[in-house]
């Protein structure tokens, strides 16, 4: 493995991990552990920033056991940006010193640390116009928004239909990206969010914005009377029955990014009965092409990462708790310095 630009990486690094499932922010521990090494087709990164996604603390709660965490103790978080500090055998597209964005393997985690190993296939170069915080927000949240919109029929090459889309919880991490990407695909966007974020969501391109705490917002009906060709459903506690009368009979889809058991069953029934109106659960399929597209959109000023707050690694527990509390507007960033 090549040495880092500033010298060989140290033997040890600061990291934040948990030793058991459960415990929330109080279960996080600051430790010093060995710096990992890049194996075949892997890249060693000196991390600059990482962002928290709800799935990170859901894993800690045990929601995905026994799949993850695969072993304990576990260093959580997957969405990172940093600088290449070394490359493993078979890696030719990256060199020490390259600035990058990466999605770490969710089975291994590793983002709450000064160094982490990423697969070269889920690592992309980060141009100077894209800050570490902006890049670290993209892999899960923007990737999910992009794939949800494609599932509805959105196209980003100028050839798509001018569809009508609803984005729920539009001021969250996925929702804010979904609004922007939908407008880039020439869609008409209705969005729901809290009153304090109405102007932000409108400024990012939403055509109609509803305060979900009002009667109009709770109904989720388009003020212009449009039926939705698709819904990017980013919240919880709203079931299929609430959406069915709102979507187009010609094949409207509700893309559920946080499906529960009931949603999975409903989706299966829709599939076997060939329903035109359908609930579709979305599980992100990470890939380099999507990440390269998203980074390029940020570089070109067409997509923005909205940062809710930033914390140093020493305050990782505060960032973790803020994500658990569920009221962040955009992304929660943890900076490795400090």
């Amino acid at each position: 493995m090549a040495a880092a630009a500033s010298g060989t990486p140290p033997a040890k690094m600061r990291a934040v991990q948990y030793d058991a499932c459960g415990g929330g922010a109080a279960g996080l521990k600051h430790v010093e552990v060995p710096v990992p090494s890049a194996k075949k087709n892997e890249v060693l990164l000196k991390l600059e920033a990482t962002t928290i996604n709800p799935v990170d603390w859901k894993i800690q709660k045990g929601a995905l056991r026994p799949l993850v965490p695969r072993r304990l103790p576990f260093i959580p978080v997957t969405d990172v940006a940093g600088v290449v500090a070394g490359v493993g055998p078979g890696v030719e597209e990256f060199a020490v010193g390259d600035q990058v964005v990466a999605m770490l393997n969710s089975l291994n985690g590793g983002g709450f640390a000064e160094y982490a190993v990423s697969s070269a296939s889920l690592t992309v170069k980060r141009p100077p116009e894209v800050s570490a915080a902006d890049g670290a927000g993209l892999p899960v949240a923007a990737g999910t928004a992009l794939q949800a919109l494609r599932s509805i029929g959105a196209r980003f090459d100028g050839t798509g239909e001018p569809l009508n889309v609803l984005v729920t919880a539009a001021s969250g991490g996925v929702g804010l990206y979904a609004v922007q990407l939908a407008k880039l695909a020439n869609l008409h966007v209705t969005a729901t969010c809290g009153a304090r974020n109405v102007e932000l969501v409108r400024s990012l391109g939403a055509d109609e914005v509803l305060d979900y705490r009002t009667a109009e917002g709770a109904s989720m009906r388009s003020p212009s009377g449009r039926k939705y060709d698709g819904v990017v459903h980013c919240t919880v506690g709203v079931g299929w029955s609430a959406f069915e009368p709102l979507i187009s009979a010609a094949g409207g889809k509700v893309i559920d990014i946080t499906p529960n058991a009931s949603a999975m069953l409903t989706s299966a029934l829709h599939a076997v009965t060939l329903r035109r109106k359908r609930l579709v659960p979305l599980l992100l399929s990470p890939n380099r092409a999507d990440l390269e597209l998203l980074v390029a959109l940020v570089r070109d000023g067409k997509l923005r990462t909205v940062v809710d707050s930033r914390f140093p690694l020493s305050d990782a527990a505060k960032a973790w708790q803020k994500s658990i509390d569920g009221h962040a507007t955009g992304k929660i960033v943890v900076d490795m310095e400090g």
Side-chain angles (χ1 to χ4, degrees):
M1 186 179 68
S6 58
T8 301
K12 298 276 187 143
M13 66 179 183
R14 292 182 303 144
V16 175
Q17 65 184 29
Y18 51 85
D19 299 332
C21 287
L28 299 180
K29 297 181 179 181
H30 290 264
V31 295
E32 190 175 74
V33 297
V35 171
S37 59
K39 298 179 177 63
K40 185 177 180 180
N41 298 324
E42 291 182 338
V43 182
L44 175 66
L45 306 180
K46 187 179 190 305
L47 301 186
E48 297 176 297
T50 186
T51 60
I52 301 170
N53 294 292
V55 69
D56 296 320
W57 48 263
K58 289 178 182 178
I59 289 172
Q60 185 200 26
K61 288 177 67 175
L64 298 182
R65 296 192 78 180
L67 182 62
V68 279
R70 189 161 57 180
R71 66 178 67 88
L72 294 167
F74 187 75
I75 300 173
V77 185
T78 61
D79 290 9
V80 301
V83 178
V84 174
V87 296
V91 177
E92 298 180 353
E93 62 268 48
F94 298 104
V96 169
D98 285 345
Q99 293 184 317
V100 296
V101 175
M103 181 176 174
L104 307 181
N105 186 321
S106 59
L107 297 178
N108 300 326
F112 265 5
E114 293 180 296
Y115 289 84
V117 167
S118 65
S119 167
S121 65
L122 287 177
T123 303
V124 304
K125 292 183 180 179
R126 174 168 56 90
E129 298 89 347
V130 181
S131 71
D134 288 342
L138 297 174
V140 167
T144 297
L146 180 68
Q147 292 183 15
L149 289 164
R150 283 190 180 135
S151 296
I152 291 167
R155 303 187 65 165
F156 298 89
D157 58 1
T159 65
E161 298 286 332
L163 305 173
N164 300 314
V165 65
L166 169 67
V167 179
T168 65
S171 59
V174 175
L176 288 170
Y177 286 124
V179 169
Q180 297 176 77
L181 289 168
K183 293 310 298 179
L184 288 174
N186 196 33
L187 309 189
H188 182 278
V189 179
T190 304
T192 67
C193 64
R196 66 187 177 93
N197 291 316
V198 165
E199 290 308 314
L200 169 63
V201 172
R202 185 174 286 120
S203 75
L204 294 177
D207 300 283
E208 302 170 331
V209 186
L210 303 171
D211 175 0
Y212 75 92
R213 291 188 178 91
T214 66
E216 294 80 7
S219 76
M220 299 181 292
R221 295 183 181 277
S222 167
S224 56
R226 301 165 190 257
K227 292 285 188 179
Y228 302 120
D229 298 295
V231 178
V232 181
H233 184 28
C234 304
T235 189
V236 295
V238 182
W240 166 252
S241 61
F243 292 113
E244 185 174 19
L246 306 179
I247 62 177
S248 168
K253 295 179 180 178
V254 176
I255 311 300
D256 191 344
I257 71 166
T258 58
N260 56 22
S262 175
M264 298 296 282
L265 177 59
T266 299
S267 173
L269 290 172
H270 289 177
V272 298
T273 57
L274 304 178
R275 288 281 299 271
R276 293 182 67 84
K277 292 184 179 185
R278 291 182 60 186
L279 178 66
V280 180
L282 177 71
L283 298 177
L284 177 67
S285 178
N287 64 86
R288 178 187 282 177
D290 282 358
L291 193 50
E292 287 178 334
L293 170 62
L294 294 165
V295 169
L297 290 173
V298 175
R299 177 200 64 203
D300 296 341
K302 296 179 179 179
L303 183 67
R304 171 185 166 198
T305 293
V306 177
V307 175
D308 173 272
S309 49
R310 301 180 74 152
F311 298 85
L313 185 61
S314 57
D315 283 339
K318 293 181 181 178
W320 198 254
Q321 187 61 52
K322 188 171 183 65
S323 182
I324 291 172
D325 290 343
H327 301 298
T329 300
K331 299 299 295 181
I332 299 169
V333 177
V334 175
D335 296 300
M336 292 308 118
E337 297 295 328

